[in-house]
Amino acid sequence: KRRVFLLATHSTFHTGKVVAVYGTLSDLLSVASSKLGIKATSVYNGKGGLIDDIALIRDDDVLFVCEGEPFIDPQTDSKLPEGLSGSHTDWLTLNVGGRYFTTTRILRSTLVNKEPDSMLAHMFKDKGVWGNKQDHRGAFLIDRSPEYFEPILNYLRHGQLIVNDGINLLGVLEEARFFGIDSLIEHLEVAIKNSQPPEDHSPISRKEFVRFLLATPTKSELRCQGLNFSGADLSRLDLRYINFKMANLSRCNLAHANLCCANLERADLSGSVLDCANLQGVKMLCSNAEGASLKLCNFEDPSGIKANLEGANLKGVDMEGSQMTGINLRVATLKNAKLKNCNLRGATLAGTDLENCDLSGCDLQEANLRGSNVKGAIFEEMLTPLHMSQSVR
């Protein structure tokens, strides 16, 4: 239940009563009539506004009750009745950014006990710290946002964090930090974290990516680092020079795509289809293409830029018939891969794991297989004799 302080107009502060608010506005007027010994007909707030809906009344509001006589707006008086300005032991009125808040001795003692080191506690304990910072009505001035102060005051009243719609929690958090209300700061940080929408990790679709491509000037560098394209159909798209570093391209359809000079370093291409893709000068260092299909791909760049797949995981890939002249596959893993009829002339295969790899029909002339693991590899029907700069394992 809410409680309010009722005061008959033109009466002294000491004749006021604290009452509980329940039911309808008529119920409140009936209680006011009984408690104040008058025939209450209307209720006003501290600014002279007529209360016509009980829902407008907040906990610890100071309300003025009339018997039908004209109401004098307190702001037209030189000063509020004694006590509303803070001189009485039960009440303290604050002017926060032009809006008035009245609180009780009970709240002051609660704050002092729970948050003794806070700025508000010091304000409530020693009113001398205010000096002459009082307005013409005697209320103590605080140059802060009333919008963000109200949730703080309500929290101190009942211990619950309640913030109206449209109020920015970050603003309330900043005020809580300013006033040093540590327990509220923790509540607000949790509330802010819970109010943020979950991160969208859903894969980017072909339609979304094509729209992105069309909106980007041709001379601009496209940065798709770390993006999720998992399962997307990117076949036959012009993806030249795009930075896909650490992107998730697993199970993508990249057949016939133009990936010339694209950066696929540390990208996940596992299970993807890149058949007939243009991979001239591609960078795939330490990428994961396990189980991918790269049949009839072209890695050979006439300008001399060599494709770099150093350290890539190519376990079980199917690269049959691909053009890979001068390709760098140093320390890559090609275990159980199918490289049948590939052109690997001048390729760097030093330290490469070629265990159980099918290299039948491959052109390995001038290829460097120094330190490579060829256990179980198939070399039958090679187009040219195998020339190795060093022995193989």
Side-chain angles (χ1 to χ4, degrees), residues 96-359:
V96 183
R99 182 172 166 187
Y100 290 93
F101 297 89
T102 302
T103 184
T104 65
R105 175 180 54 80
I106 296 175
L107 176 60
R108 280 186 279 171
S109 62
T110 301
L111 176 62
V112 170
N113 290 332
K114 288 188 175 181
E115 303 283 351
D117 297 324
S118 68
M119 182 184 295
L120 277 181
H122 288 297
M123 290 177 178
F124 289 156
K125 279 191 297 185
D126 182 11
K127 284 176 283 186
V129 301
W130 296 93
N132 295 319
K133 296 179 180 178
Q134 291 177 268
D135 66 8
H136 68 285
R137 296 170 58 182
F140 294 106
L141 290 164
I142 300 179
D143 187 20
R144 304 297 292 184
S145 168
E147 182 179 52
Y148 300 140
F149 180 77
E150 183 176 15
I152 294 175
L153 191 59
N154 286 332
Y155 170 79
L156 296 172
R157 284 167 172 160
H158 45 61
Q160 299 294 320
L161 174 60
I162 301 174
V163 181
N164 295 332
D165 293 339
I167 303 297
N168 192 330
L169 287 174
L170 289 173
V172 182
L173 175 60
E174 187 61 31
E175 294 302 290
R177 287 172 174 163
F178 175 80
F179 289 113
I181 314 298
D182 293 338
S183 60
L184 178 57
I185 291 172
E186 296 176 9
H187 283 290
L188 284 165
E189 288 175 342
V190 171
I192 290 170
K193 183 178 180 180
N194 293 337
S195 67
Q196 294 175 342
E199 294 184 20
D200 185 7
H201 296 291
S202 58
I204 298 171
S205 66
R206 179 186 179 91
K207 183 177 180 180
E208 290 172 322
F209 191 52
V210 169
R211 189 184 298 119
F212 176 56
L213 290 174
L214 293 175
T216 306
T218 54
K219 294 184 179 180
S220 299
E221 180 187 2
L222 279 174
R223 299 169 64 88
C224 298
Q225 294 167 275
L227 297 184
N228 183 8
F229 296 91
S230 180
D233 179 8
L234 304 178
S235 60
R236 300 182 183 276
L237 293 180
D238 186 356
L239 307 174
R240 289 174 296 173
Y241 303 102
I242 295 180
N243 188 347
F244 287 108
K245 187 175 181 180
M246 294 185 289
N248 182 0
L249 293 156
S250 61
R251 297 177 287 103
C252 276
N253 181 4
L254 289 157
H256 297 276
N258 186 357
L259 286 158
C260 176
C261 296
N263 186 351
L264 292 161
E265 183 177 344
R266 299 184 184 276
D268 184 359
L269 291 154
S270 57
S272 293
V273 176
L274 292 94
D275 297 341
C276 302
N278 181 7
L279 297 167
Q280 294 175 336
V282 72
K283 296 178 182 178
M284 292 177 60
L285 289 84
C286 301
S287 61
N288 176 25
E290 184 171 351
S293 179
L294 291 93
K295 292 183 289 187
L296 302 174
C297 288
N298 181 23
F299 291 87
E300 184 178 351
D301 190 342
S303 66
I305 301 176
K306 297 180 180 179
N308 191 347
L309 281 74
E310 183 172 335
N313 177 13
L314 301 168
K315 289 181 182 178
V317 298
D318 188 349
M319 305 177 79
E320 184 175 348
S322 292
Q323 294 295 318
M324 296 188 284
T325 300
I327 192 171
N328 181 4
L329 288 164
R330 193 175 75 86
V331 298
T333 301
L334 284 152
K335 188 175 182 180
N336 299 317
K338 297 177 182 179
L339 276 74
K340 191 174 182 179
N341 299 323
C342 287
N343 182 359
L344 287 162
R345 183 184 290 259
T348 300
L349 295 158
T352 303
D353 185 357
L354 297 167
E355 184 176 346
N356 297 324
C357 185
D358 186 355
L359 292 158

Side-chain angles (χ1 to χ4, degrees), residues 31 103 134 362 366 372:
V31 171
T103 184
Q134 291 177 268
C362 285
E366 299 179 358
S372 60

Side-chain angles (χ1 to χ4, degrees), residues 51-62:
I51 303 293
D52 58 4
D53 187 343
I54 201 166
L56 300 174
I57 298 174
R58 298 169 299 181
D59 193 30
D60 281 341
D61 270 351
V62 176

